[in-house]
C-alpha cells in the first residue's frame, strides 16, 4: 500500500506518469468516468480549505466514486479529544482512501502508520503540500511543455508556505533549474530546505528582497500569501503582509512568456487587474488540480481506466 506524504514518496518517473495521465484525462474525460465506481474517498480536513478539499471531492466524483468526510475539526471527534491516529483507524473502516489536512506538521505521516488505506497529505502545517505541487508541475508542464531548464522565482512567505517547500523539493530533481527566493528577511526559505535539498545537490539559488530585481530573469513567478494563521503575533503579520504586491506596472519588466502561478487563496499579493494578463495562470492551476488528483487517486487505488 502506498501513501503520499511527501512529494519524494513518488519517483520522478511516477510524477511524470501522473502528469501524462492527467493530460489524458483532460483530453478524454469519458474514459475515466467509471474508474473508481464503488470506491469511497474520505476528506479529513482539520484546517480550512476551499480548493484542495473540493478538488479532491470533484476528482473522486468524476471518477465515478463517492466521498464522505468533514471540513472542520470542530464538528469531528477531534473536538472531544480523539487522537489523529484513532480518527484515521476509524475512517479507514469506512473509506478506501483518505485525503487529510492538519495544522500539525507530520500529522498525515503519523496517520499513515495506523491507516488501513492510502493516506494523502493535503497540507500539514507549514511543512508540505505534495498534491499542490503535482498541480503546479502539471500547470508548468502544460504551459511550457517541459519541467527542465527554468528559472523560477518564489515570492512572499517562503518560511511558512508549505506549497513552496514541496515544489522546491520536486523541482530539485529536474535539470537546469535556477531558484530565486524573493522574501523579506523574516520570511526567508527555511534552512532545512537549503540543507536537505538545495546544498547536497549543489543547486543554484539566490535569495533577494526585491521582486523588481528578479523579474526580468524569470520563466515562472510563484506568488504566495503571507500565512497569517502561522504567525505568533498579529503585529508581525500586519507589518509583513503587503511586502509584495504584483501589479501590471511590475509585470512590465517580465518576459512575455513568463508564467505567474499562485496556489491561492490570494489576499493582496496580486492585484485583480493582473488576472487578464495572458501570463496569469492561477485559475488554470485550479482547474489542473482536479485532473492531477484524479490521476493520483487512481494510482494509489491501483485502478485503471
Ligand atoms: C495553499 C495551502 O493550503 O497551503 N492553498 C491551497 O491548498 N491551494 C496556500 C495557502 O493557503 O496560502
Amino acid at each position: 500500500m502506498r501513501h503520499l506524504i511527501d512529494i519524494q514518496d513518488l519517483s520522478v518517473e511516477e510524477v511524470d506518469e501522473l502528469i501524462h495521465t492527467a493530460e489524458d484525462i483532460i483530453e478524454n474525460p469519458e474514459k475515466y468516468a467509471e474508474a473508481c465506481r464503488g470506491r469511497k474517498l474520505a476528506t479529513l480536513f482539520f484546517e480550512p480549505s476551499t480548493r484542495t478539499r473540493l478538488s479532491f471531492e470533484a476528482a473522486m466524483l468524476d471518477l465515478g466514486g463517492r466521498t464522505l468526510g468533514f471540513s472542520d475539526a470542530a464538528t469531528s471527534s477531534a473536538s472531544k479529544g480523539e487522537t489523529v491516529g484513532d480518527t484515521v483507524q476509524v475512517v479507514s473502516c469506512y473509506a478506501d482512501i483518505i485525503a487529510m489536512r492538519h495544522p500539525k506538521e507530520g500529522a498525515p505521516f503519523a496517520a499513515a502508520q495506523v491507516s488501513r488505506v492510502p493516506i494523502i497529505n493535503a497540507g500539514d502545517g507549514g511543512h508540505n503540500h505534495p498534491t499542490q505541487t503535482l498541480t503546479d508541475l502539471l500547470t508548468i508542464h502544460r504551459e511550457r511543455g517541459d519541467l527542465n531548464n527554468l528559472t523560477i522565482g518564489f515570492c512572499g512567505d517562503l518560511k511558512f508556505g508549505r506549497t513552496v517547500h514541496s515544489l522546491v523539493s520536486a523541482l530539485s530533481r529536474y535539470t537546469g533549474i535556477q531558484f530565486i527566493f524573493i522574501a523579506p528577511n523574516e520570511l526567508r526559505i527555511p534552512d532545512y530546505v537549503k540543507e536537505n535539498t538545495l546544498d547536497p545537490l549543489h543547486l543554484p539559488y539566490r535569495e533577494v528582497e526585491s521582486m523588481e530585481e528578479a523579474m526580468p530573469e524569470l520563466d515562472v513567478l510563484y506568488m504566495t500569501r503571507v500565512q497569517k494563521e502561522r504567525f505568533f503575533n498579529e503585529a508581525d503579520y500586519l507589518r509583513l503582509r503587503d511586502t509584495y504586491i504584483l501589479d501590471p506596472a511590475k509585470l512590465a519588466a517580465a518576459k512575455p512568456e513568463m508564467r505567474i502561478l499562485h496556489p491561492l487563496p490570494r489576499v493582496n499579493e496580486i492585484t485583480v487587474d493582473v488576472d487578464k494578463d495572458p501570463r496569469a495562470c492561477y485559475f488554470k492551476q485550479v482547474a489542473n488540480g482536479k485532473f492531477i488528483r484524479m490521476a493520483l487517486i487512481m494510482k494509489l487505488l491501483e485502478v485503471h481506466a
Side-chain angles (χ1 to χ4, degrees):
M1 184 175 64
R2 301 277 302 273
H3 304 283
L4 177 61
I5 306 302
D6 184 300
I7 192 68
Q8 300 276 343
D9 294 341
L10 296 166
S11 67
V12 185
E13 292 71 30
E14 287 175 315
V15 170
D16 291 345
E17 175 200 304
L18 288 173
I19 290 173
H20 181 80
T21 304
E23 289 176 340
D24 192 53
I25 297 172
I26 292 167
E27 296 299 319
N28 308 292
E30 65 292 340
K31 236 169 86 180
Y32 297 86
E34 299 292 325
C36 286
R37 176 71 56 208
R39 308 293 186 109
K40 280 177 281 181
L41 164 86
T43 50
L44 309 188
F45 276 60
F46 296 87
E47 238 193 13
S49 170
T50 300
R51 273 150 296 274
T52 305
R53 185 174 59 84
L54 295 183
S55 68
F56 265 115
E57 295 187 0
M60 194 50 157
L61 295 173
D62 284 355
L63 290 167
R66 285 178 293 174
T67 68
L68 66 165
F70 56 80
S71 55
D72 179 1
T75 64
S76 78
S77 283
S79 66
K80 300 179 184 171
E82 186 169 59
T83 63
V84 167
D86 282 4
T87 301
V88 164
Q89 287 199 59
V90 169
V91 175
S92 61
C93 301
Y94 305 145
D96 303 290
I97 185 163
I98 295 173
M100 178 181 165
R101 170 172 288 189
H102 202 283
K104 281 216 179 80
E105 288 79 6
F109 175 80
Q113 311 310 305
V114 295
S115 179
R116 283 181 252 207
V117 301
I119 299 281
I120 301 171
N121 177 3
D124 65 322
H127 190 213
N128 279 324
H129 194 345
T131 65
Q132 181 63 46
T133 295
L134 293 172
T135 302
D136 302 338
L137 295 174
L138 173 61
T139 304
I140 297 171
H141 190 262
R142 292 190 75 202
E143 294 296 319
R144 303 184 71 252
D146 192 9
L147 292 169
N148 298 292
N149 304 315
L150 71 99
T151 299
I152 179 166
F154 290 91
C155 181
D157 187 347
L158 311 188
K159 178 178 180 186
F160 297 117
R162 56 194 173 193
T163 65
V164 172
H165 308 152
S166 292
L167 184 54
V168 169
S169 171
L171 285 174
S172 72
R173 302 191 291 185
Y174 293 87
T175 58
I177 309 289
Q178 309 244 17
F179 297 93
I180 304 184
F181 299 115
I182 309 159
N185 194 37
E186 294 90 333
L187 299 178
R188 284 167 60 182
I189 191 91
D191 286 343
Y192 81 83
V193 174
K194 297 186 216 165
E195 286 160 13
N196 298 347
T197 306
L198 300 169
D199 295 340
L201 296 167
H202 307 292
L203 296 174
Y205 71 87
R206 268 178 21 237
E207 295 187 84
V208 301
E209 285 201 34
S210 152
M211 179 198 259
E212 287 85 342
E213 180 193 327
M215 193 69 83
E217 293 176 58
L218 302 177
D219 300 309
V220 174
L221 172 58
Y222 194 94
M223 293 297 295
T224 62
R225 166 182 76 92
V226 175
Q227 305 278 298
K228 179 178 185 207
E229 64 275 36
R230 318 237 182 265
F231 275 74
F232 294 109
N233 81 63
E234 174 91 4
D236 284 348
Y237 169 70
L238 294 175
R239 187 168 50 81
L240 292 165
R241 68 172 179 187
D242 292 331
T243 312
Y244 302 106
I245 298 182
L246 181 65
D247 59 19
K250 294 199 185 87
L251 268 178
K255 292 183 189 171
E257 65 279 11
M258 187 185 82
R259 290 291 177 265
I260 306 161
L261 274 68
H262 189 312
L264 303 181
R266 138 176 76 185
V267 186
N268 282 331
E269 58 282 352
I270 303 180
T271 60
V272 289
D273 47 3
V274 171
D275 298 0
K276 55 182 184 299
D277 189 297
R279 290 168 286 196
C281 286
Y282 28 93
F283 290 111
K284 290 190 205 169
Q285 218 176 328
V286 172
N288 290 333
K290 181 186 76 173
F291 298 114
I292 198 87
R293 289 183 173 99
M294 289 171 77
L296 176 68
I297 291 168
M298 287 175 56
K299 179 173 179 62
L300 296 180
L301 288 178
E302 298 177 16
V303 300
H304 301 279

